[in-house]
C-alpha cells in the first residue's frame, strides 16, 4: 500500500512511489526516538549545536540537488527552490549559533525569602512534526532546528507528495552525525499518525497545514493531553494607504502574491487600497501580474510555475468560478493549462460571498477600495484568519497605529519577503497557535523547570 509519490506537477508524470511504513516498523521508530532522547540528554548543548551546524552546512553543500527535488515534487521555480534551501540552512545555523544563549538559565527575582530561584530549560522527549508540501525544507527547518538543539528527538511525517525531499532531509541528519532515532522520517498514514500522537512516549506535536488538518490533530492531541503547535491558513491583508512610488509598491504587492506560485500561507492575498489610489493600483497590479513569466519551473527567470498538483488546480479553479458566480468581477486570469494557473485578479468580492472568507492557495488576488484608515483596518480584520499582514504608508505614526489595530501574528511595514530565522512566525484566530523561529520558537517544546534554592 502506498500514498506517497513524487508526481511532477509540470508534466503529470509519476516519478516514483514509496511504501507506507508498517505498524511494526512504526513502533520500532517510536522506540528508537525514545531511546535517542536519552542520548541527546547525555551530551552538551554545544555538542548538539555542532551537529545542527553540520546540518546547515550540508544544506549548502547539496543545495542544487535539494532544490531540484522540490522543483520536481511540487513545481517551485528553481530560483525560489534554491532560496528555500539557503533559508533553511540559515535557520539551522541560527539555532546552532544561539543554542547556548537560548537554553541558558534564567534568574527569577524573589519577592520574599532568602536564596535564589531560576528557570532551567530542558527537553521534553519525542516530538511529532507533520509538515506540508509547499515549503518542504523550510517548514522542517523551523521545527527541527530549535528542537534538536534543545535535545528533543523528532518523528517527521512529511506531505504525501514530498517523499523524496523527506528522505533527503533524513539522510542529511544521519550524515551530520545524529544517531538513528534522533530524527526519523515516517511514511505514515493518517490512521498511523493518530496512533503516534496517542503513544505515551510522544510528548508533543507540531503541524503546519490546513484548518481541517489542524482541527483534527488538535482534537487527537487534546484527547491525549499533548502539547500542540499549529500553523494553519491565512488570508493576509496588504494595506496601501499612501506611497511615494506606486510602481514600487505594486511590485512588492505582486511579489507578495505570487511567491511559491501563490501557495504560501503568509502570502498577501487581499489588497486593501485607499480609494484615491485604488484605480491606478488596480491598473498597474493587473499589468504587472500579467507580465509575470509563467512556465517551466526548472528554467531561470520563471516567475510562476505549476500549482502543486491536479487537485490544487481543480480546487482553485472551482473557487474562482464560484466567486464570479457570487458576484465578483474577474479582471484578468482565471484560466489554466494543465497545472499552470494564470495570475488572476478579482474585484467586487462582497462580504456575503464565499470568496470573502476563504483562503485562495494560488496566484489569485482580491483587490478592495476603502475610504479611509479605519475602514482599511476593519476590512483587514474581517476574516477568520490572523497570520500575517502588510502595511504600506509614508506616515510612520499611521504605520504603527494600523499595525496595532490589525488582528494578526505578524505585521510587515513597507516591505515584503522580510522573514528571518530570528523573527517569530505564527498567527491568531483560525491561523493557529504557538510560534516558530527565533527565541519564541525555541521556547515551545521545553520544560521550563523552576528551581528554588534556599
Amino acid at each position: 500500500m502506498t500514498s506517497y509519490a513524487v508526481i511532477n506537477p509540470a508534466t503529470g508524470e509519476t516519478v516514483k512511489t514509496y511504501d507506507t511504513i508498517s505498524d511494526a516498523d512504526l513502533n520500532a521508530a517510536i522506540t528508537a526516538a525514545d531511546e535517542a532522547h536519552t542520548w541527546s540528554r547525555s551530551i552538551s548543548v554545544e555538542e548538539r549545536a555542532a551537529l545542527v551546524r553540520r546540518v546547515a552546512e550540508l544544506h549548502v553543500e547539496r543545495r542544487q540537488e535539494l532544490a531540484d527535488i522540490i522543483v520536481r515534487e511540487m513545481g517551485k521555480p528553481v530560483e525560489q527552490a534554491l532560496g528555500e534551501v539557503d533559508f533553511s540552512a540559515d535557520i539551522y545555523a541560527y539555532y546552532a549559533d544561539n543554542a547556548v544563549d537560548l537554553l541558558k538559565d534564567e534568574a527569577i527575582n524573589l519577592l520574599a525569602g532568602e536564596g535564589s530561584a531560576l528557570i532551567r530549560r530542558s527537553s521534553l522527549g519525542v516530538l511529532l512534526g507533520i509538515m506540508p508540501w509547499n515549503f518542504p525544507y523550510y517548514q522542517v527547518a523551523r521545527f527541527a532546528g530549535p528542537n534538536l538543539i534543545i535535545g528533543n528527538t523528532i518523528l517527521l511525517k512529511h506531505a504525501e507528495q514530498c517523499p523524496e525531499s523527506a528522505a533527503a532531509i533524513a539522510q542529511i541528519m544521519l550524515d551530520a552525525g545524529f544517531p538513528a532515532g534522533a530524527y526519523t522520517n515516517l511514511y505514515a498514514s493518517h490512521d498511523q499518525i493518530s496512533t503516534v500522537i496517542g503513544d505515551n512516549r510522544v510528548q508533543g506535536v507540531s503541524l503546519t497545514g490546513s484548518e481541517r488538518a489542524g482541527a483534527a490533530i488538535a482534537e487527537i492531541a487534546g484527547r491525549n493531553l499533548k502539547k500542540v503547535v499549529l500553523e494553519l491558513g491565512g488570508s493576509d491583508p496588504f494595506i496601501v494607504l499612501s506611497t511615494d512610488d506606486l510602481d514600487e509598491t505594486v511590485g512588492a504587492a505582486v511579489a507578495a502574491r505570487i511567491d511559491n506560485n501563490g501557495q504560501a500561507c503568509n502570502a498577501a492575498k487581499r489588497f486593501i487600497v485607499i480609494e484615491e489610489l485604488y484605480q491606478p493600483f488596480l491598473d498597474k497590479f493587473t499589468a504587472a501580474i500579467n507580465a509575470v513569466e509563467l512556465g517551466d519551473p526548472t528554467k531561470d527567470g520563471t516567475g510562476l510555475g505549476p500549482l502543486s498538483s491536479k487537485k490544487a488546480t481543480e480546487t482553485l479553479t472551482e473557487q474562482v468560478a464560484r466567486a464570479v458566480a457570487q458576484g465578483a468581477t474577474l479582471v484578468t486570469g482565471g484560466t489554466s493549462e494543465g497545472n499552470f494557473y494564470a495570475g488572476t485578479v478579482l474585484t467586487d468580492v462582497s462580504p456575503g460571498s464565499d470568496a470573502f472568507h476563504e483562503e485562495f492557495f494560488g496566484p489569485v488576488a482580491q483587490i478592495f477600495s476603502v475610504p479611509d484608515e479605519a475602514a482599511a483596518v476593519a476590512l483587514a480584520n474581517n476574516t477568520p484568519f490572523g497570520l500575517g499582514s502588510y502595511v504600506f504608508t509614508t506616515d510612520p505614526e499611521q504605520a504603527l497605529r494600523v499595525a496595532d489595530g490589525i488582528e494578526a501574528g505578524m505585521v510587515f511595514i513597507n516591505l515584503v519577503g522580510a522573514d528571518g530565522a530570528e523573527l517569530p512566525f505564527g498567527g491568531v484566530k483560525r491561523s493557529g497557535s504557538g510560534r516558530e523561529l527565533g527565541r519564541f520558537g525555541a521556547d515551545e517544546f521545553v520544560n521550563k523547570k523552576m528551581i528554588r534554592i534556599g
Side-chain angles (χ1 to χ4, degrees):
M1 180 182 71
T2 180
S3 59
Y4 287 83
V6 177
I7 302 173
N8 189 328
T11 65
E13 176 194 6
T14 298
V15 179
K16 187 176 180 180
T17 61
Y18 296 73
D19 290 336
T20 303
I21 192 170
S22 69
D23 290 344
D25 286 345
L26 179 63
N27 184 64
I30 300 172
T31 299
D34 191 40
E35 292 172 350
H37 180 235
T38 301
W39 165 84
S40 71
R41 289 174 64 94
S42 70
I43 65 173
S44 68
V45 62
E46 291 87 354
E47 290 172 300
R48 294 195 298 271
L51 294 173
V52 172
R53 189 180 313 283
R54 184 59 185 147
V55 171
E57 292 168 353
L58 288 171
H59 275 71
V60 174
E61 292 172 17
R62 301 175 186 178
R63 67 189 296 264
Q64 187 66 57
E65 171 192 343
L66 295 172
D68 289 344
I69 290 172
I70 60 175
V71 172
R72 188 162 55 244
E73 284 182 328
M74 48 76 63
K76 189 187 296 284
V78 66
E79 291 174 274
Q80 295 180 34
L82 289 165
E84 180 182 339
V85 177
D86 293 340
F87 190 20
S88 301
D90 290 344
I91 291 169
Y92 288 114
Y94 168 83
Y95 283 110
D97 291 342
N98 294 280
V100 173
D101 182 61
L102 291 169
L103 293 173
K104 69 183 179 182
D105 290 345
E106 182 179 338
I108 300 175
N109 294 322
L110 295 175
L111 296 179
E114 300 297 324
S116 61
L118 58 89
I119 296 294
R120 176 159 293 171
R121 289 167 169 80
S122 61
S123 58
L124 294 179
V126 182
L127 303 177
L128 171 65
I130 304 171
M131 296 296 127
W133 49 263
N134 57 337
F135 290 92
Y137 302 121
Y138 161 68
Q139 300 283 3
V140 174
R142 67 189 200 185
F143 169 63
N147 285 301
L148 289 172
I149 64 107
I150 289 164
N152 294 315
T153 55
I154 291 172
L155 300 168
L156 201 291
K157 182 213 174 294
H158 221 314
E160 284 86 346
Q161 72 188 77
C162 295
E164 190 177 359
S165 55
I169 298 167
Q171 189 63 52
I172 282 176
M173 296 297 175
L174 288 173
D175 293 346
F178 282 102
Y183 179 102
T184 306
N185 174 49
L186 301 177
Y187 295 135
S189 69
H190 295 291
D191 288 343
Q192 287 175 321
I193 287 303
S194 298
T195 299
V196 175
I197 298 172
D199 193 293
N200 289 332
R201 294 167 292 182
V202 176
Q203 303 303 311
V205 56
S206 178
L207 173 135
T208 298
S210 66
E211 292 177 82
R212 180 180 177 183
I217 293 301
E219 179 184 1
I220 300 166
R223 194 162 61 241
N224 289 280
L225 300 178
K226 302 294 175 70
K227 163 86 175 183
V228 63
V229 168
L230 301 173
E231 196 276 280
L232 309 178
S235 189
D236 292 7
F238 187 110
I239 299 173
V240 181
L241 297 172
S242 59
T243 178
D244 288 330
D245 188 334
L246 185 58
D247 288 332
E248 184 177 341
T249 299
V250 168
V254 172
R257 176 62 284 215
I258 66 169
D259 179 49
N260 200 39
N261 303 331
Q263 300 166 123
C265 52
N266 63 327
K269 299 184 175 87
R270 297 178 298 132
F271 298 85
I272 301 169
V273 185
I274 200 78
E275 59 186 5
E276 57 263 33
L277 293 176
Y278 173 76
Q279 194 59 51
F281 179 93
L282 174 61
D283 293 342
K284 288 178 179 290
F285 186 100
T286 301
I289 203 167
N290 284 336
V292 174
E293 184 175 345
L294 179 68
D296 186 347
T298 67
K299 304 297 184 183
D300 291 344
T302 296
L304 276 174
L307 296 182
S308 63
S309 66
K310 180 180 179 182
K311 180 181 177 182
T313 304
E314 290 172 346
T315 298
L316 191 66
T317 299
E318 188 278 330
Q319 281 184 291
V320 171
R322 183 158 35 89
V324 173
Q326 294 178 356
T329 298
L330 179 64
V331 177
T332 191
T335 60
S336 64
E337 183 175 343
N339 292 321
F340 291 86
Y341 199 93
T344 298
V345 175
L346 295 173
T347 60
D348 304 314
V349 177
S350 65
S353 66
D354 296 337
F356 191 86
H357 294 293
E358 287 181 338
E359 178 181 24
F360 282 69
F361 223 56
V364 178
Q366 300 180 30
I367 303 183
F368 301 86
S369 174
V370 289
D372 53 35
E373 174 190 318
V377 173
L379 181 54
N381 291 338
N382 191 0
T383 173
F385 301 104
L387 187 55
S389 57
Y390 304 85
V391 179
F392 276 68
T393 174
T394 56
D395 182 341
E397 292 185 2
Q398 181 183 57
L400 291 177
R401 187 169 62 243
V402 172
D404 285 342
I406 292 176
E407 298 166 354
M410 302 173 287
V411 183
F412 294 89
I413 298 173
N414 292 333
L415 78 175
V416 301
D419 304 80
E422 76 283 11
L423 299 175
F425 188 105
V428 296
K429 301 197 291 190
R430 296 189 69 87
S431 289
S433 59
R435 292 295 182 269
E436 294 181 305
L437 297 178
R439 174 173 294 278
F440 295 97
D443 242 8
E444 288 289 354
F445 292 104
V446 295
N447 178 12
K448 303 177 187 72
K449 185 184 295 180
M450 190 282 293
I451 302 175
R452 176 73 160 88
I453 304 167

